[in-house]
C-alpha cells in the first residue's frame, strides 16, 4: 500500500466553481502535513501546511482528520491560475517527506 | 523564501555516459538535502538523503553505486547518475529545509529533466 494516496483526477471545473479532493495516508505516526502545488515540468511549491484544527488561506481550506487518516483541500471561487497538480505531502519524525502522486485540477474559462 | 538552485535544468546524454546534477542552497546552509525522482504522472520518490560530510542514506531499491551523492559543503550536494540508461530518464529534483530539523517547508530546486538516448 502506498504511503500517501490521492485521487489523480483530473477535476475539470469552470471558473468560479468550488473543487475539493482528499488524500489518505497510511502511517499513523505521521506528524506534519502539507499541500504542495506543482505546475507542469516545474518544482513543487508549498501551498499550505495543514493543521489539526483545519486552516484557511484565502480561497484555500485544508482539513486534517487524524482518526481516519485523511487530509482534504478545498478551493473556492476557482481561478484559471489554479490549474495545476496538487500534491499531498506527509512527514514523520525523520523529516522525510512522502508525496502523493498528485491530483490534477483544470479550471476552464 | 529560501532559494535552492539546481543545475542543469535539462540534459540529454548518450547511454553509458555519466551525468552530474548540482543542488545548491543559495542563502542558507543545509546539512541535509534530499534527492527525489519523478516519473511522468507519478509521485516524487525519495532516492536518498544527502548528509554534509558523511555518506548519503539511500532508500530501499536505489543503487548507491549508480547514483553517487556527494555533499562536500553546507551549500552543495551533487548527484551523479553513472552509466546512464534510457530507463534512468526522469525528472530529478533536490530539496532542502533552511530550518533543519523543524519539519517545516521544504524548498525545491528547479529540477533536472534527464533524457538518456
Amino acid at each position: 500500500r502506498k504511503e500517501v494516496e490521492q485521487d489523480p483526477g483530473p477535476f475539470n471545473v469552470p471558473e468560479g466553481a468550488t473543487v475539493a479532493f482528499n488524500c489518505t495516508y497510511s502511517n499513523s505516526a505521521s506528524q506534519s502535513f502539507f499541500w504542495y502545488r506543482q505546475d507542469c515540468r516545474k518544482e513543487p511549491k508549498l501551498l499550505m501546511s495543514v493543521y489539526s484544527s483545519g486552516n484557511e488561506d484565502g480561497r484555500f481550506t485544508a482539513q486534517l482528520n487524524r482518526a481516519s487518516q485523511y487530509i482534504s483541500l478545498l478551493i473556492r471561487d476557482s481561478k484559471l491560475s489554479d490549474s495545476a497538480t496538487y500534491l499531498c505531502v506527509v512527514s514523520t519524525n525523520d523529516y522525510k517527506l512522502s508525496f502523493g502522486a498528485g491530483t490534477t485540477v483544470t479550471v476552464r474559462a | 523564501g529560501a532559494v535552492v538552485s539546481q543545475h542543469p535544468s535539462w540534459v540529454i546524454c548518450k547511454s553509458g555516459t555519466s551525468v552530474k546534477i548540482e543542488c545548491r542552497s543559495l542563502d542558507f546552509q543545509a546539512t541535509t538535502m534530499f534527492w527525489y525522482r519523478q516519473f511522468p504522472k507519478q509521485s516524487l520518490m525519495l532516492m536518498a538523503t544527502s548528509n554534509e560530510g558523511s555518506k548519503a542514506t539511500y532508500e530501499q531499491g536505489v543503487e548507491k553505486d549508480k547514483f553517487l551523492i556527494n555533499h562536500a559543503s553546507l551549500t552543495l550536494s551533487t548527484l551523479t547518475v553513472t552509466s546512464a540508461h534510457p530507463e534512468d530518464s526522469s525528472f530529478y529534483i533536490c530539496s532542502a529545509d533552511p530550518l533543519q530539523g523543524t519539519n517545516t517547508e521544504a524548498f525545491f530546486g528547479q529540477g533536472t529533466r534527464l533524457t538518456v538516448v
Side-chain angles (χ1 to χ4, degrees):
Chain A
R1 184 184 172 189
K2 293 181 182 177
E3 287 191 52
V4 181
E5 297 206 53
Q6 291 183 249
D7 181 345
F11 288 81
N12 293 303
V13 299
E15 269 189 295
T18 296
V19 59
F21 41 89
N22 294 337
C23 146
T24 58
Y25 60 95
S26 61
N27 189 344
S28 59
S30 299
Q31 296 287 329
S32 302
F33 310 89
F34 310 90
W35 283 104
Y36 276 74
R37 170 190 170 131
Q38 186 176 27
D39 293 294
C40 187
R41 295 175 177 266
K42 297 286 183 65
E43 74 275 21
K45 293 186 177 179
L46 180 67
L47 178 67
M48 59 195 302
S49 300
V50 185
Y51 303 119
S52 297
S53 55
N55 49 300
E56 189 176 302
D57 183 359
R59 297 180 293 106
F60 298 86
T61 301
Q63 296 281 351
L64 167 63
N65 185 316
R66 285 189 184 270
S68 301
Q69 294 183 201
Y70 78 81
I71 308 151
S72 65
L73 181 67
L74 181 145
I75 307 173
R76 288 189 305 277
D77 188 24
S78 299
K79 311 292 185 189
L80 294 176
S81 57
D82 294 333
S83 297
T85 297
Y86 292 85
L87 305 177
C88 175
V89 183
V90 175
S91 179
T92 55
N93 278 339
D94 61 2
Y95 313 114
K96 293 180 182 178
L97 301 180
S98 295
F99 288 79
T103 297
T104 299
V105 173
T106 302
V107 182
R108 61 183 188 274
Chain B
V3 179
V4 176
S5 177
Q6 190 172 337
H7 177 81
S9 298
W10 59 269
V11 58
I12 301 173
C13 71
K14 290 185 177 180
S15 187
T17 60
S18 295
V19 175
K20 180 186 281 189
I21 303 169
E22 293 187 349
C23 180
R24 294 180 184 273
S25 56
L26 297 186
D27 51 1
F28 66 97
Q29 294 183 332
T31 55
T32 303
M33 291 184 176
F34 300 92
W35 286 97
Y36 298 87
R37 180 168 53 183
Q38 185 179 33
F39 292 105
K41 298 188 183 298
Q42 295 188 25
S43 59
L44 276 75
M45 295 299 297
L46 180 65
M47 298 176 66
T49 303
S50 175
N51 305 299
E52 188 268 335
S54 64
K55 291 182 179 180
T57 305
Y58 289 82
E59 296 300 302
Q60 193 172 12
V62 178
E63 300 174 58
K64 61 180 180 181
D65 294 330
K66 181 171 181 62
F67 298 99
L68 301 179
I69 291 173
N70 186 290
H71 196 148
S73 77
L74 287 170
T75 58
L76 174 64
S77 175
T78 61
L79 168 68
T80 301
V81 183
T82 62
S83 186
H85 287 94
E87 57 265 30
D88 298 323
S89 299
S90 187
F91 187 58
Y92 292 86
I93 192 164
C94 66
S95 78
D97 179 359
L99 300 178
Q100 306 268 296
T102 60
N103 221 3
T104 56
E105 180 180 359
F107 290 88
F108 290 85
Q110 301 92 326
T112 298
R113 194 158 299 278
L114 171 64
T115 302
V116 185
V117 298

